[in-house]
Amino acid sequence: MIGKEIETTAALSLYQVLDRVAAPIFIQDRHARVVFVNRALVARSRYTASQLLENARIFSAELREVEDVFTRETDITQAGYLYDADGKAQAVSVVKSIVRDANGTPFIVATIEDPIRQSDVKPTEIQQEIQERKAAEAALLRSRRRLTLLVQQSPFMFVEWNIDYTIQTWNAMAENVFGYPRSKVVGRSIREVLPELAVGEILDQVQPFVTQLGAIQQIQAHGTQTKIICDWYHYPLLAPNGNIVSIVSMGIDMTDRIRSETERQQAEVALVESEQRLSMLVQHAPMGIIEWTPEFTAKEWNPAAEKIFKIARDRAIGEHGNHWVPEQDQAKVNEIVKTLFECQGEIHSINQNLRGDGETIVCEWYNNQILDTEGNIIGVVSMVRDISDRIRLEADREQAELALKQSEAQLRQQAQKLESAFKQLQKTQAQLIQNEKMSSLGQLVAGIAHEINNPVSFIYGNVEHAKEYIEDLLRIIQLYQTDHPVPSEQITEELEDLDLEFVRHDLMKLLDSMGTGAERIRDIVRSLRHFSRHDEADLKAVDLHEGIESALMLLQHLLKSNRACGSPLLRPTIQIVKDYGALPKVQCYAGLLNQVFINVFSNAIDAINERWLAEEIDFTPEIKVKTSLFQQLDSTEWARISITDNGIGMTATTQRCLFDPFFTTKPVGQGSGLGLSVSYQIVTEQHGGRLSCDRPSKRGATFVIEIPVRQLMWS
């Protein structure tokens, strides 16, 4: 009856089906816990469903036993007692069967039956028939249940179809393999679902075996969602009269097994090919390949090893490895071999070896272990090559490299000396050129100043006497006019033409102008003599401010307003802003230092003219001169002269090369590139000072001259 109800309510879940069964049923899991009871058991025990699930001791110990059922996985009948809510013990017989859920988890379905009581009174024939019928129905029920479970839980596919090819049975494994649910397959033609099965041929083959109950085997590929290969056994179901009721096709999915077999065969072929290739690689390898046993004897010896060690394979096989190692290296080699057979990992070594003819060579070895399937070391394989020639070449190369390095060092040293000598030559050349130039210029300036000084002194000294004489003459003329108020006609005409009164007033102004001009010439001569210092000793304490003023006096014509460098715009006068500090007299070469001032001021004026020439007319040309006194860390006093202009400025590259000999940014013919270079040498080398240039912004530059107040090294 249970089997029939399961078949008629396939759409319901197992619990829903069992809950409607008239027989008392409960379900146990692997741990003997009751996980389900149906309504018939609740009615019989007079407990609620929750009480039955919580208290497994309602059943006697015999009925709670599950291990034997799970172990045997066959139906088992157990006898025991059911303790109802009234406290009565009901003797029952329980039939337990194994079922599995969708995940394959096994459970026990237990059906409670009343045991047949033996009465003292002999049953009647009717009662006997009833009891026999009930027993037969129960046996049939159990048989159907077992058959249903067998088909549904079988690892084989069961497909039952009748003579007109309509599918009647489609178990869970068939659903699993082909992906078609039972509800969509039952009732359809097998030709639609599994067209690959040769249905007509099967019927033809089944018919002769009807009486012998034989079976037909068939291996068939099915092109469903994925290609599947199945092994089928077809056999008929016969009615009692011998007629065929239906055909049962029992199959198993062989796809994985065939694929594995194919892969195994392919792997075996690949292994054979790999072994052949490996053998060819070993035999044709350019490096010697040697296999060693755990006793360090040669087991394999390829042709390259024969060539390296000059010994044939048949003579080398079985020979101990120390046979090819010099006595002094055997301890080292034996230690390497010991390590190889004790610890996994590659070992690289270079050592001396002996050939068959006794010649000593140097070999490079790459050693690694040979492991079995369990990871145990069963041998060592070594790759070896003769590097004697390479060692000799490397030694020769190292010697050549050492000689080359020594030669390069000598060349670098010579190059440094040449470079230093060249720079010194440049400096000396520049210094000589400038010294000669300045010496000639100084002598010329001194000579001109001397030649001009005499007549100018004569003029300047006689202007006052001339004024006195002229005043005396004018006074005599006035007295004569007083004594002779009416001159002759000729004198009157001459006086009118001469305009004596104008001459009397203008003559004195003329003499004053001549005196002023002579004084100006005398100042210029003084500046020229101060600049050249031709009449002074080389090293002398002087007032630096006088040297600055003399330089500005000589450059006055460049500071005045003019059309700089041919610019159509008139450049304003360059303003000189002086900020003089209290400086003592400084020991220096006055003439050389004046040359530095001239060069720096000239450079500032050129920078301002270049900015004006670039039509940057929205600035006031200006040169700031600042002097100050400061102390070094050793407490020595130094004088600092800062000269700042607001000219065109310079690039970083120009700033780095500013004091190099012959470097100039001016066009050819307008600059020699010696002014700042010579100035740098005068300040640094001849005065022990510093000359630097700073770029405070995009426009302008500041030159800073720093020299010690006392030149101690010459004092």
Side-chain angles (χ1 to χ4, degrees):
M1 292 178 63
I2 294 176
K4 186 177 289 296
E5 290 185 12
I6 291 175
E7 289 177 359
T8 55
T9 57
L12 299 176
S13 69
L14 179 62
Y15 285 177
Q16 292 173 325
V17 171
L18 296 180
D19 198 44
R20 298 181 182 182
V21 175
I25 295 175
F26 64 93
I27 296 178
Q28 292 175 293
D29 64 9
R30 188 84 185 187
H31 304 288
R33 293 176 298 194
V34 177
V35 297
F36 171 81
V37 294
N38 68 349
R39 286 180 288 184
L41 181 56
V42 171
R44 179 161 181 169
S45 64
R46 298 185 180 85
Y47 284 108
T48 64
S50 60
Q51 289 174 331
L52 288 171
L53 295 176
E54 292 172 358
N55 187 8
R57 295 190 177 277
I58 294 173
F59 303 100
S60 63
E62 298 85 356
L63 301 182
R64 296 198 300 271
E65 174 61 32
V66 298
E67 192 61 33
D68 192 35
V69 182
F70 281 110
T71 301
R72 296 170 58 183
E73 291 194 356
T74 58
D75 290 358
I76 293 178
T77 301
Q78 296 175 339
Y81 294 91
L82 170 66
Y83 303 101
D84 60 18
D86 297 332
K88 294 180 180 180
Q90 302 179 18
V92 295
S93 175
V94 178
V95 178
K96 292 186 175 181
S97 303
I98 294 292
V99 296
R100 299 181 184 272
D101 61 9
N103 297 325
T105 305
F107 291 91
I108 293 177
V109 176
T111 304
I112 298 177
E113 299 177 351
D114 292 325
I116 301 176
R117 292 181 175 82
Q118 299 294 334
S119 176
D120 294 336
V121 182
K122 186 176 181 178
T124 62
E125 292 182 0
I126 295 176
Q127 291 175 332
Q128 184 70 26
E129 290 178 359
I130 291 173
Q131 291 177 354
E132 290 177 355
R133 184 178 57 81
K134 288 182 177 180
E137 289 178 351
L140 180 59
L141 177 63
R142 290 193 295 272
S143 177
R144 287 181 176 178
R145 187 187 306 144
R146 286 195 299 270
L147 181 59
T148 301
L149 294 175
L150 175 65
V151 172
Q152 292 301 321
Q153 300 180 17
S154 172
F156 294 91
M157 297 175 287
F158 279 92
V159 180
E160 181 186 0
W161 43 283
N162 57 22
I163 301 302
D164 60 358
Y165 312 132
T166 302
I167 297 174
Q168 296 179 333
T169 302
W170 185 271
N171 74 338
M173 183 54 67
E175 291 183 352
N176 221 7
V177 173
F178 294 107
Y180 302 134
R182 180 178 180 277
S183 59
K184 293 185 179 181
V185 173
V186 174
R188 294 176 58 190
S189 173
I190 194 170
R191 290 181 174 177
E192 298 177 10
V193 180
L194 301 175
E196 295 83 5
L197 289 179
V199 179
E201 296 179 5
I202 294 173
L203 288 178
D204 294 340
Q205 296 178 28
V206 167
Q207 188 62 36
F209 293 98
V210 169
T211 55
Q212 291 89 358
L213 299 178
I216 302 171
Q217 182 182 5
Q218 180 187 22
I219 297 178
Q220 182 64 49
H222 297 275
T224 56
Q225 297 175 354
T226 58
K227 186 176 180 180
I228 301 172
I229 301 175
C230 298
D231 188 5
W232 293 98
Y233 292 87
H234 308 287
Y235 57 90
L237 290 181
L238 302 179
N241 58 5
N243 294 330
I244 297 177
V245 176
S246 62
I247 302 297
V248 175
S249 297
M250 182 178 69
I252 186 169
D253 185 3
M254 298 177 60
T255 307
D256 292 339
R257 189 176 72 186
I258 292 177
R259 185 183 297 115
S260 299
E261 181 67 20
T262 303
E263 291 175 352
R264 183 186 62 79
Q265 293 175 355
Q266 292 174 350
E268 289 178 353
V269 173
L271 179 60
V272 172
E273 293 176 351
S274 176
E275 289 177 349
Q276 292 175 349
R277 287 196 302 271
L278 180 60
S279 178
M280 292 178 63
L281 287 173
V282 170
Q283 294 301 315
H284 295 87
M287 294 181 64
I289 299 177
I290 304 172
E291 181 181 351
W292 306 99
T293 65
E295 292 76 25
F296 195 31
T297 58
K299 185 178 179 180
E300 185 55 58
W301 192 272
N302 76 335
E306 292 181 340
K307 183 178 180 181
I308 292 172
F309 294 99
K310 294 185 177 180
I311 187 170
R313 179 179 182 277
D314 54 351
R315 289 182 54 196
I317 298 299
E319 194 70 55
H320 196 274
N322 284 339
H323 179 75
W324 295 281
V325 181
E327 186 175 353
Q328 66 271 17
D329 291 340
Q330 288 183 4
K332 171 189 172 183
V333 173
N334 289 336
E335 188 63 29
I336 294 174
V337 173
K338 181 181 178 182
T339 304
L340 282 168
F341 281 101
E342 289 179 353
C343 306
Q344 291 189 14
E346 180 182 338
I347 295 182
H348 171 255
S349 63
I350 296 177
N351 53 267
Q352 292 184 338
N353 291 101
L354 296 174
R355 281 178 167 169
D357 57 4
E359 180 186 356
T360 301
I361 58 175
V362 180
C363 293
E364 184 176 22
W365 295 83
Y366 297 89
N367 309 288
N368 213 332
Q369 297 89 354
I370 301 173
L371 307 178
D372 60 13
T373 56
E374 297 179 357
N376 299 318
I377 300 174
I378 60 174
V380 170
V381 61
S382 300
M383 291 190 296
V384 59
R385 58 181 173 180
D386 182 5
I387 60 171
S388 303
D389 294 338
R390 192 183 77 184
I391 295 295
R392 284 192 293 271
L393 290 174
E394 287 180 355
D396 295 341
R397 181 179 56 82
E398 290 177 358
Q399 292 179 356
E401 287 180 353
L402 180 60
L404 180 61
K405 288 180 180 178
Q406 293 175 350
S407 176
E408 288 177 350
Q410 293 174 356
L411 289 175
R412 280 196 299 270
Q413 188 176 5
Q414 292 177 359
Q416 290 173 356
K417 289 181 179 179
L418 289 174
E419 184 179 2
S420 177
F422 178 71
K423 289 183 178 178
Q424 187 63 36
L425 180 61
Q426 278 188 320
K427 290 181 180 179
T428 304
Q429 182 183 8
Q431 187 68 42
L432 289 174
I433 293 173
Q434 192 69 10
N435 287 345
E436 183 65 26
K437 178 180 177 182
M438 294 308 298
S439 177
S440 301
L441 181 61
Q443 292 176 3
L444 178 63
V445 169
I448 293 174
H450 179 73
E451 293 299 327
I452 294 176
N453 187 52
N454 289 335
V456 168
S457 296
F458 173 76
I459 295 171
Y460 185 77
N462 291 324
V463 166
E464 293 297 326
H465 298 295
K467 288 174 66 176
E468 292 177 1
Y469 297 155
I470 292 172
E471 286 177 354
D472 291 341
L473 291 174
L474 290 175
R475 188 169 57 254
I476 293 299
I477 293 173
Q478 188 175 5
L479 289 174
Y480 180 79
Q481 287 178 339
T482 303
D483 291 340
H484 299 83
V486 181
S488 64
E489 184 177 351
Q490 184 179 0
I491 293 175
T492 301
E493 291 178 359
E494 289 294 334
L495 288 175
E496 289 178 358
D497 294 338
L498 181 63
D499 194 358
L500 181 62
E501 193 63 31
F502 171 77
V503 170
R504 181 186 293 119
H505 289 88
D506 191 58
L507 183 59
M508 299 309 296
K509 292 180 181 179
L510 181 62
L511 291 172
D512 289 338
S513 297
M514 291 175 64
T516 302
E519 187 174 357
R520 173 67 176 165
I521 293 173
R522 190 175 66 175
D523 291 340
I524 293 174
V525 169
R526 187 185 301 113
S527 296
L528 288 173
R529 293 184 62 188
H530 190 276
F531 171 75
S532 65
R533 295 288 183 177
H534 192 68
D535 56 346
E536 297 180 0
D538 286 342
L539 186 63
K540 186 178 179 181
V542 298
D543 185 357
L544 295 183
H545 293 155
E546 290 183 2
I548 295 172
E549 292 296 333
S550 297
L552 291 174
M553 175 69 71
L554 295 176
L555 297 174
Q556 191 66 36
H557 66 289
L558 297 177
L559 296 172
K560 292 180 179 179
S561 176
N562 59 47
R563 300 185 187 278
C565 301
S567 172
L569 300 174
L570 186 66
R571 191 210 68 201
T573 299
I574 298 175
Q575 302 296 321
I576 304 297
V577 181
K578 302 173 184 177
D579 183 8
Y580 290 164
L583 289 182
K585 288 190 175 182
V586 178
Q587 285 185 347
C588 63
Y589 295 96
L592 295 178
L593 208 56
N594 289 339
Q595 179 184 347
V596 174
F597 295 149
I598 288 288
N599 289 336
V600 175
F601 281 125
S602 298
N603 191 74
I605 294 171
D606 291 342
I608 291 173
N609 288 338
E610 286 184 30
R611 184 175 180 184
W612 188 264
L613 188 62
E615 298 185 359
E616 294 188 19
I617 60 176
D618 57 345
F619 77 104
T620 301
E622 183 180 79
I623 296 177
K624 295 180 181 179
V625 184
K626 181 178 180 181
T627 61
S628 61
L629 188 69
F630 70 97
Q631 285 189 342
Q632 290 283 76
L633 295 177
D634 58 359
S635 299
T636 58
E637 290 186 331
W638 283 53
R640 178 185 291 123
I641 304 97
S642 299
I643 301 174
T644 303
D645 66 78
N646 59 350
I648 193 67
M650 69 186 75
T651 63
T653 303
T654 300
Q655 185 182 14
R656 287 194 297 269
C657 304
L658 203 58
F659 301 114
D660 292 347
F662 307 107
F663 175 79
T664 180
T665 58
K666 298 176 182 177
V668 177
Q670 294 188 18
S672 63
L674 294 175
L676 290 178
S677 173
V678 171
S679 299
Y680 184 81
Q681 293 179 26
I682 291 173
V683 174
T684 59
E685 296 180 8
Q686 295 181 270
H687 290 86
R690 296 184 288 266
L691 175 58
S692 61
C693 177
D694 184 29
R695 296 187 303 139
S697 62
K698 184 178 179 181
R699 291 287 183 255
T702 299
F703 286 84
V704 180
I705 304 167
E706 296 176 341
I707 59 174
V709 173
R710 290 179 58 82
Q711 297 292 326
L712 298 179
M713 64 180 70
W714 292 282
S715 298

